[in-house]
């Protein structure tokens, strides 16, 4: 019993790392501020979230290999250090597109390493029936950081006339997480090495391939809504960016609610039914976002998308792992690589909105991703 309590006490620094993992979602509101400050087009500005998620393609499998060499705790520590450096750069480097791309690239690299290593680290502290709920709670903690990022940016813009003041606040938390986790000893079990070849061969399985594409659509919708919702308010209602940034908080508020309630809902209903309900919420929200022209309707649409998209990732990943239970490590690495969709969607959305001269183009691109998830729902097992 004492060992159990001790392990749970050790979860505190790990949960701080989950919170730091949510810092990646500041890229949405930051993209809007950088676009405004540097007078960029949507196509150019959307390179920022694209560069964040590009590194999931490159670093997910190598992170697994690093984890086998130096251990899970040390790999999470590496990710936190990289995250800290990325948050420091906007404070000490010139404020231009090149340095922001470098900063956001480091943020993406740190996040890719963390996403790959933090759940295996949790499995060294919590086991059995408590593992899934603990991981879900970690996602809830991550969502809190995602939720407060646009609020902090708006507050900093008003109070200090500099939205970038959110960076030292998040950096301080990241430093605390490094110190706390560095001071915590965790007994680890080693797992088998996962290679690029092992991961890519799994795409030959139809369900794994469909799951990989589903993850790409999930994160594309996530990042896309994060970036586009404020632009819709500015375009249709003439909001300032500080006012419009609250739309991103609405998205993450309902995503946070969805993460917290998801574990309870999934214990009562089948994964297939909940996936169908989730995608229906997104269809209604995205279709409404095409035409909504009042602040109330836009917020309702964004809330529906946030709640609907909150549990798509764990359901898809669990489906893929159940398909090939003997290759969970390789499947997990491949699914994390699917977060690369956060690179593709913003680029296509930026081009579509610039071509149409309206955010309708960006919303239409995301709607395509939602339609794919509706299709994937037919493949989800009960």
């Amino acid at each position: 019993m004492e060992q159990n309590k001790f392990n749970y006490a050790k979860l505190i620094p790990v949960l701080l790392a989950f919170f730091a993992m949510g810092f990646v979602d500041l890229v949405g509101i930051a993209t809007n501020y950088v676009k405004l400050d540097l007078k960029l087009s949507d196509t150019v500005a959307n390179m920022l979230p694209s560069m964040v998620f590009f590194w999931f393609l490159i670093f997910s499998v190598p992170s697994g290999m690093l984890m086998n060499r130096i251990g899970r705790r040390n790999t999470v520590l590496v990710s936190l250090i990289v995250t800290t450096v990325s948050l420091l750069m906007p404070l000490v480097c010139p404020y231009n597109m090149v340095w922001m791309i470098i900063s956001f690239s480091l943020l993406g690299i740190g996040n890719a390493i963390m996403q790959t290593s933090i759940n295996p680290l949790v499995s060294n502290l919590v086991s059995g029936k408590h593992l899934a709920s603990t991981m879900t709670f970690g996602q809830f903690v991550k969502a809190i950081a995602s939720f407060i990022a646009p609020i902090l940016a708006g507050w900093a813009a008003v109070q200090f006339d500099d939205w970038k003041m959110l960076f030292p606040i998040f950096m301080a938390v990241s430093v605390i997480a490094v110190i706390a986790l560095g001071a915590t000893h965790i007994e680890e079990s080693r797992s088998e090495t996962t290679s690029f070849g092992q991961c890519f061969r799994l795409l030959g399985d139809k369900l794994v391939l469909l799951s990989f594409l589903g993850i790409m659509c999930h994160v594309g919708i996530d990042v896309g809504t994060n970036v586009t919702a404020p632009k819709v308010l500015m375009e249709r209602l003439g909001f300032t960016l500080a006012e419009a940034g609250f739309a991103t908080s609405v998205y993450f508020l309902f995503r946070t609610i969805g993460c917290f309630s998801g574990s309870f809902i999934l214990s009562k209903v089948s994964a297939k039914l909940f996936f169908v309900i989730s995608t229906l919420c997104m269809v209604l929200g995205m279709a409404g976002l095409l035409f909504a022209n009042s602040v109330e309707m836009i917020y309702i649409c964004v809330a529906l998308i946030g709640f609907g998209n909150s549990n798509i990732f764990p359901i898809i990943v669990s489906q893929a792992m159940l398909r090939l239970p003997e290759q969970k490590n390789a499947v997990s690495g491949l699914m994390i690589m699917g977060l690369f969709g956060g690179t593709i969607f913003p680029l296509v959305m930026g081009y579509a909105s610039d071509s149409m001269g309206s955010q309708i183009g960006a919303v239409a691109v995301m709607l395509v991703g939602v339609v794919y998830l509706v299709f994937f729902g037919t493949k989800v097992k009960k």
Side-chain angles (χ1 to χ4, degrees), residues 53 56 115 215 218-219 313 335-343:
F53 289 93
F56 284 91
Q115 294 250 24
I215 294 296
H218 154 72
V219 74
F313 181 84
M335 293 302 106
I336 296 300
M337 289 176 70
L339 297 177
F340 174 67
T343 291

Side-chain angles (χ1 to χ4, degrees), residues 206-262:
K206 183 178 179 181
L207 182 62
V208 172
L209 175 60
L210 293 175
S211 299
F212 178 80
L213 295 174
I215 294 296
M216 292 185 71
C217 289
H218 154 72
V219 74
I221 294 163
D222 189 60
V223 177
T225 306
N226 193 358
V227 172
T228 303
K231 294 179 182 178
V232 171
L233 284 168
M234 294 165 68
E235 179 180 275
R236 297 180 190 173
L237 301 176
F239 278 29
T240 65
L241 183 51
E243 295 169 332
F246 185 68
T248 303
S249 291
V250 170
Y251 173 78
F252 282 116
L253 171 62
F254 279 86
R255 191 164 174 221
T256 302
I257 293 170
C259 287
F260 186 71
S261 62

Side-chain angles (χ1 to χ4, degrees), residues 286-302:
M286 205 66 73
L289 206 56
L290 286 171
F291 310 107
N293 56 11
S294 71
V295 63
E296 294 83 7
M297 284 305 301
I298 291 173
Y299 282 160
I300 290 171
C301 292
V302 170

Side-chain angles (χ1 to χ4, degrees), residues 262-275:
S263 58
F264 301 105
I265 297 174
L266 282 168
S267 68
K268 302 295 183 182
V269 305
S270 69
K272 187 179 185 70
L273 176 59
F274 191 40
F275 196 91

Side-chain angles (χ1 to χ4, degrees), residues 41-228:
S41 67
D42 276 339
T43 302
V44 174
N46 281 13
M47 286 178 62
L48 289 173
S50 294
M51 288 308 300
V52 168
F53 289 93
F54 169 77
W55 301 105
F56 284 91
L57 179 68
I58 306 298
F59 276 88
S60 56
V61 173
S63 296
M65 299 167 71
L66 177 67
M67 188 165 43
N68 288 317
R69 178 177 291 273
I70 69 173
R72 293 164 179 172
R73 184 192 70 121
N74 288 337
T75 305
V76 174
L77 281 171
V78 168
S79 72
L80 286 168
I81 292 169
V82 174
T83 299
T84 301
V85 173
S86 74
L87 296 169
L88 176 65
M89 290 185 69
L91 304 176
V92 300
C93 298
Y95 183 29
N96 58 45
M97 189 63 174
V98 172
W99 281 109
M100 292 305 295
I101 286 177
I102 294 172
S103 171
F104 281 27
S105 293
L106 285 174
L107 185 62
I109 292 169
N111 207 262
I113 298 171
M114 195 182 305
Q115 294 250 24
T116 305
S117 56
I118 197 165
N119 283 328
L121 180 63
V122 171
S123 71
N124 288 125
L125 297 173
V126 184
S127 60
K129 63 180 181 180
H130 300 295
L131 180 59
S133 61
T134 304
M135 289 181 175
T136 301
F137 187 75
Q139 291 298 315
F140 166 67
V141 172
K142 172 184 178 289
I144 294 173
S146 303
F147 166 65
I148 66 174
I151 295 176
L152 283 176
W155 170 78
V158 172
Q159 293 295 319
F160 303 103
D161 196 28
D162 187 359
W163 68 273
K164 297 190 296 301
M165 289 303 293
L166 73 88
F167 286 101
I169 297 172
F170 277 173
M171 187 179 71
V173 177
S174 189
V175 170
I176 293 170
V178 170
I179 295 171
L181 187 59
T184 303
H185 175 72
I186 299 175
E187 292 291 338
E188 299 188 27
S189 58
R190 296 300 175 98
S191 56
E192 62 185 45
T193 302
T194 304
S195 67
F196 278 103
Q198 285 176 303
C199 280
F200 284 112
R201 279 197 293 272
L202 295 181
L203 291 174
D205 184 282
K206 183 178 179 181
L207 182 62
V208 172
L209 175 60
L210 293 175
S211 299
F212 178 80
L213 295 174
I215 294 296
M216 292 185 71
C217 289
H218 154 72
V219 74
I221 294 163
D222 189 60
V223 177
T225 306
N226 193 358
V227 172
T228 303

